[in-house]
Amino acid sequence: MGCWEAQRGFCPRKGKGKGCKWCEGAPDFAGKGKGGGVWQPQFQKSWGSSWGGKGKGKGKGKGKTPAKKTENALKVWVGGLPQKFSFKALQAHFDQAGKSTWAEGGKGGNGSVCYTTEAEVYNAMTLLNGSVFEGNIIQVDQWVKKPTKADS
């Protein structure tokens, strides 16, 4: 028996006096058993593949968008967007009020458009609220950060 619990007469994996496959394959303290006999720290043992397999890198497309980096005073909220649309077309539509820096859509027909000045934000709210974008009447309003659970 290779495991110290089985040597004491009880393996919690199988029952009293019996060893399991793990216990039989594990080396015991005398160096006998199927597992080799030379003790190695866990980080030096080879298990066939490394932790996590091929590795899943962070940051592939999940970084902060320019909309998240932009101040709230320089963004407008857009509602009533169609389900599928081109972000370039949305940005071109909002360029009527001033040069927009970023446009994106979100869930439920909502989106946001970023500008460089507050005057452009004001122009977008006054000129484009109620305008037609790809067959839908859109709403344009000042960007207000969604309240978090800590705020309520």
Side-chain angles (χ1 to χ4, degrees):
M1 290 186 208
C3 122
W4 64 276
E5 293 169 330
Q7 287 177 356
R8 292 188 311 179
F10 176 74
C11 177
R13 294 162 198 87
K14 275 288 195 179
K16 189 166 186 157
K18 299 178 182 177
C20 63
K21 289 181 182 179
W22 184 85
C23 297
E24 292 169 1
D28 61 358
F29 295 108
K32 299 175 185 172
K34 296 179 184 176
V38 178
W39 182 85
Q40 292 180 336
Q42 187 67 31
F43 65 88
Q44 289 182 346
K45 293 181 182 177
S46 96
W47 289 70
S49 66
S50 63
W51 280 66
K54 290 188 175 182
K56 298 176 183 173
K58 292 183 180 181
K60 297 211 176 198
K62 296 288 185 180
K64 288 196 173 193
T65 65
K68 289 184 180 183
K69 295 178 183 179
T70 305
E71 295 179 30
N72 291 340
L74 300 176
K75 290 190 275 189
V76 293
W77 171 84
V78 185
L81 293 171
Q83 289 289 10
K84 293 184 179 180
F85 62 92
S86 167
F87 298 113
K88 290 182 179 182
L90 180 65
Q91 190 169 9
H93 182 75
F94 275 84
D95 280 346
Q96 297 174 37
K99 180 66 178 143
S100 60
T101 58
W102 182 261
E104 67 181 10
K107 295 179 183 176
N110 297 324
S112 65
V113 179
C114 302
Y115 289 99
T116 55
T117 65
E118 291 184 25
E120 292 170 332
V121 171
Y122 179 76
N123 285 342
M125 289 188 299
T126 55
L127 293 174
L128 299 174
N129 188 25
S131 65
V132 178
F133 174 69
E134 294 187 1
N136 290 11
I137 298 173
I138 60 172
Q139 301 169 352
V140 182
D141 200 1
Q142 183 178 1
W143 181 269
V144 179
K145 185 178 177 183
K146 187 187 282 189
T148 61
K149 291 181 181 180
D151 294 340
S152 56

